[in-house]
Amino acid sequence: MTRTILDIHILQNVPPSNMNRDDTGTPKSAFYGGVRRARVSSQAWKRATRRRFEELLPPEELGVRTKKVVEALAERITAHDPSLAHVAAKLAEETLTTATGSSLETPKRKARDDGEGGAAAESKYLMFLSRRQLDALAELAVSASEGGDVAVLKKSLKDKEQKARARSAVDTRHSVDIALFGRMVADSADLNVEAATQVAHALSVHRSDIESDYYTAVDDRNEGSETGAGMIGTVDFNSATLYRYAAVDVDELRRNLGAGLKDDEPPSTPTAKAVAAFLEAFITSLPSGKINSFGHHTLPSAVLVTVRDRWPLSFVGAFEEPVPKSAQGGFLRESCRRLAAYVTEAEKQYGLDGDPAWVFRIGEETQELAALGERVTLKGLLDQVESVVAQRLEPTA
């Protein structure tokens, strides 16, 4: 069966930074090809991508991932009926327990802090719900409680039909970020959502060493006779040319999103727009760890996007042998040469060299990538990918 897979390959220079650190405060790293590489975890870049969505998509297209899910639903209940503000948390707790099968409890710290015992319960793990799902649950809580009676709601939710309605509320109308990154509900596996997107850990194409910055801070109120710093410390950092990779299973994404909510748009529109949003967000996002200290604001030097119809394919193998710095310094030019040679050979050997591809690149150093696809601007890339995805998803006559 023919599939639609979007492969995204990125080369990006990052100056001294510590955007993703481990439990000791050191930038994350990994051994690959026998040498230590700089690494940025997939979780860190997915988080940055989700934050970028907030600028690209309307709030109703996004989800909320939180343990404070009772509090989130209580806010929606209150928005639906302000007169229920005093009982909204209890209504939310009953509704969520039925809808998700999850155990909710008030954290001990909150029980201690709130002398009246009115603190909202929380889930034991992060729960991912779309804003549309929260609204559907709020509507159910308001209507089934008949004016905010918790006992009435509890009795109503024991009814088979109402219980099914509650479950359906959290298992339909998924947000774009849930559809892309998936969801796990530990207490109800049938509510899990299979992720449509795979994001690799970003790796430097070369060996990368950790350096330390020794810094001092001066106390502004020190008298002239007082010498020395008010504070001293160290922070670890590295710099790297990163290879980043992600793949989007467009068919899975469409299954997660459904055909859309508007009667006047083609069924493929929500999926095509979600793909374009992910593409822009993933390309332009950046993990923000220690960003005030290092100001590591960069954008990719080169982006290669390919639409596959068989399987996703990472080209990290191009950098299994670490890229050496050029005679003048720098890794980008040789990285582009390595990538171009590897892509050409891999696609030829596996019969993938006819797949549609686009290249978005900056500077003369990236010239080697010119033959890999049609050169486009970022906007041109988004427009073309959205168009191709829509065409592939439209039913044939």
Side-chain angles (χ1 to χ4, degrees):
M1 183 179 70
T2 300
R3 305 171 65 189
T4 301
I5 305 288
L6 194 75
D7 273 343
I8 307 162
H9 313 269
I10 295 174
L11 288 174
Q12 182 165 356
N13 287 320
V14 181
S17 59
N18 187 348
M19 68 175 87
N20 182 212
R21 55 192 183 271
D22 62 20
D23 58 339
T24 68
T26 302
K28 289 186 177 180
S29 62
F31 276 95
Y32 182 64
V35 300
R36 185 175 292 280
R37 315 289 185 106
R39 176 174 68 93
V40 181
S41 71
S42 58
Q43 296 93 324
W45 227 298
K46 283 189 282 189
R47 171 67 176 168
T49 300
R50 284 186 57 225
R51 294 300 300 271
R52 186 79 175 91
F53 280 156
E54 295 171 10
E55 303 170 33
L56 300 174
L57 295 169
E60 61 269 19
E61 295 293 340
L62 299 175
V64 179
R65 189 177 65 174
T66 179
K67 289 184 177 181
K68 301 175 183 177
V69 66
V70 171
E71 186 179 296
L73 180 54
E75 289 174 1
R76 302 311 306 148
I77 291 172
T78 303
H80 275 70
D81 189 344
S83 69
L84 301 181
H86 66 291
V87 75
K90 290 297 182 184
L91 296 176
E93 187 174 344
E94 288 296 335
T95 305
L96 283 165
T97 299
T98 299
T100 67
S102 300
S103 300
L104 304 169
E105 57 184 29
T106 303
K108 292 180 181 178
R109 56 180 170 77
K110 285 199 170 184
R112 287 195 300 268
D113 294 343
D114 197 310
E116 298 182 4
E122 295 182 4
S123 60
K124 295 178 181 178
Y125 50 86
L126 293 172
M127 196 175 291
F128 208 175
L129 294 173
S130 76
R131 284 170 171 81
R132 289 195 181 105
Q133 289 165 349
L134 287 170
D135 280 336
L137 289 173
E139 290 171 10
L140 172 61
V142 171
S143 63
S145 66
E146 297 179 4
D149 191 317
V150 178
V152 170
L153 176 63
K154 189 180 256 187
K155 182 179 178 182
S156 176
L157 290 175
K158 289 180 180 177
D159 178 74
K160 188 175 179 181
E161 225 174 87
Q162 287 287 60
K163 188 180 291 187
R165 182 182 166 194
R167 299 284 284 188
S168 176
V170 296
D171 200 26
T172 56
R173 304 176 79 182
H174 297 305
S175 59
V176 169
D177 43 3
I178 291 176
L180 282 164
F181 299 122
R183 176 180 73 188
M184 186 187 77
V185 182
D187 300 297
S188 298
D190 59 314
L191 296 179
N192 290 350
V193 178
E194 189 70 25
T197 301
Q198 298 171 346
V199 177
H201 291 240
L203 284 177
S204 64
V205 300
H206 52 84
R207 175 176 176 167
S208 179
D209 295 321
I210 304 294
E211 300 180 72
S212 293
D213 176 36
Y214 171 82
Y215 64 87
T216 64
V218 177
D219 189 325
D220 289 341
R221 291 184 62 84
N222 270 3
E223 300 294 334
S225 59
E226 296 179 84
T227 60
M231 183 182 72
I232 60 174
T234 60
V235 59
D236 292 336
F237 65 91
N238 60 13
S239 59
T241 297
L242 298 172
Y243 170 73
R244 299 168 49 202
Y245 170 73
V248 181
D249 185 332
V250 178
D251 305 296
E252 186 68 40
L253 179 60
R254 184 178 188 176
R255 284 190 287 273
N256 289 346
L257 285 175
L261 303 173
K262 299 178 182 177
D263 295 332
D264 59 343
E265 67 180 12
S268 62
T269 298
T271 305
K273 288 187 177 299
V275 168
F278 173 77
L279 188 56
E280 180 173 1
F282 183 64
I283 290 172
T284 60
S285 62
L286 195 68
S288 58
K290 293 285 186 181
I291 201 162
N292 289 337
S293 299
F294 291 99
H296 53 268
H297 299 281
T298 65
L299 288 168
S301 298
V303 178
L304 169 64
V305 176
T306 306
V307 176
R308 308 278 186 204
D309 57 14
R310 295 172 67 185
W311 53 65
L313 180 60
S314 168
F315 295 130
V316 70
F319 311 111
E320 192 270 341
E321 182 179 323
V323 174
K325 67 179 180 180
S326 68
Q328 296 78 26
F331 300 97
L332 182 60
R333 188 186 302 272
E334 177 62 15
S335 298
C336 290
R337 189 195 70 77
R338 290 266 197 98
L339 183 59
Y342 189 90
V343 171
T344 301
E345 183 68 12
E347 291 190 335
K348 178 181 176 183
Q349 295 300 325
Y350 286 97
L352 303 172
D353 45 354
D355 291 338
W358 301 270
V359 175
F360 170 59
R361 59 188 181 85
I362 300 171
E364 180 266 336
E365 297 91 341
T366 63
Q367 178 63 34
E368 290 280 355
L369 301 178
L372 297 183
E374 176 187 349
R375 186 171 185 182
V376 290
T377 62
L378 177 58
K379 184 180 185 306
L381 173 63
L382 301 177
D383 290 344
Q384 295 227 31
V385 168
E386 186 174 339
S387 175
V388 168
V389 167
Q391 289 172 16
R392 286 185 172 230
L393 293 181
E394 285 304 314
T396 55

